[in-house]
Amino acid sequence: MQDSFKYKGMRKKLIQELQSKGIKDEKVLDAFEAVPRHYFLDNAFAEQAYSNMAFQIGSGQTISHPYTVAFQTELLDLKKGDKVLEIGTGSGFQTSILCQIGAKVFSIERHKELHLKAKRVLQHLKFNPRLSFGDGFKGLPAFAPFDKVIITCGAPYIPQALVDQLKVGGIMIIPIGEGEEQQMKRIVKKSETEIAEEDFGVFKFVPMLENKVK
Ligand code: SAH
């Protein structure tokens, strides 16, 4: 896989599309300019890598639409050095965007094959997240607390373990819903016992599955 002026030009067009859909955070837009999304897809899809589409990435899973990745990242309100927990590494593309912005990223994936594939691509691109193979419902207590948590699969409910692993004042972005569609929510941890919830519209994700590590 190689980057080229052609792909860089395609990325600039994608950034214009993201801006026209309302993405404003310069850090997010710059990260989309820097990261070659085609590295995260099968060769057959490389030419379409910069259209606002989701694709199969193997093991029955999909890489999220660029707009969805940009939208969730913008909601996270990232600061350089933020410690971020991601659930659902998938292709690793969202992980790379978080790394590019300067976050310290911890990401969990329940499919071994995807976990290993994402590890290879991210290493190749010189990103250095801590990738774990396991069940995202449990989070990573050994590395908690986190400044931010981002869930990139459709969760049936807000997992308490993940709220517990979030710092007070921290933000969690989580799509909630068990059917085809989920409601994007921003959770702010107000104190050790209180959270505030806001809704940000409807999105479609593959399901977040509990105790199904394979
Ligand atoms: N962020 C990814 C999105 C991939 S789709 C990307 O940019 O490509 C969501 C991923 O969540 C899938 O790979 C799926 O296997 C994973 N997933 C679902 N339930 C999970 C769980 N309980 N723990 C960890 N990963 C999970």
Side-chain angles (χ1 to χ4, degrees), residues 40 109 150 153-154 168 180:
F40 296 87
E109 171 56 52
I150 174 170
C153 34
V168 171
E180 288 266 293

Side-chain angles (χ1 to χ4, degrees), residues 40-113:
F40 296 87
L41 300 171
D42 284 346
N43 274 338
F45 299 136
E47 297 304 309
Q48 292 142 283
Y50 300 100
S51 53
N52 187 29
M53 288 166 74
F55 296 98
Q56 299 297 323
I57 51 171
S59 305
Q61 308 301 319
T62 49
I63 180 173
S64 301
H65 288 74
Y67 173 70
T68 306
V69 175
F71 188 76
Q72 284 194 283
T73 310
E74 187 165 82
L75 284 179
L76 269 186
D77 190 22
L78 282 181
K79 309 276 182 292
K80 238 194 176 130
D82 269 355
K83 216 168 125 187
V84 181
L85 174 63
E86 177 191 26
I87 311 299
T89 316
S91 66
F93 178 66
Q94 169 78 74
T95 320
S96 73
I97 293 289
L98 299 170
C99 291
Q100 179 67 33
I101 294 176
K104 285 194 214 99
V105 187
F106 298 74
S107 185
I108 312 179
E109 171 56 52
R110 76 174 184 96
H111 274 289
K112 187 102 196 211
E113 217 176 288

Side-chain angles (χ1 to χ4, degrees), residues 12-24 29 52 67:
K12 286 216 188 296
K13 280 212 178 109
L14 172 61
I15 286 157
Q16 285 166 4
E17 192 179 341
L18 294 174
Q19 282 175 312
S20 74
K21 286 178 180 288
I23 303 297
K24 291 192 189 68
L29 296 166
N52 187 29
Y67 173 70

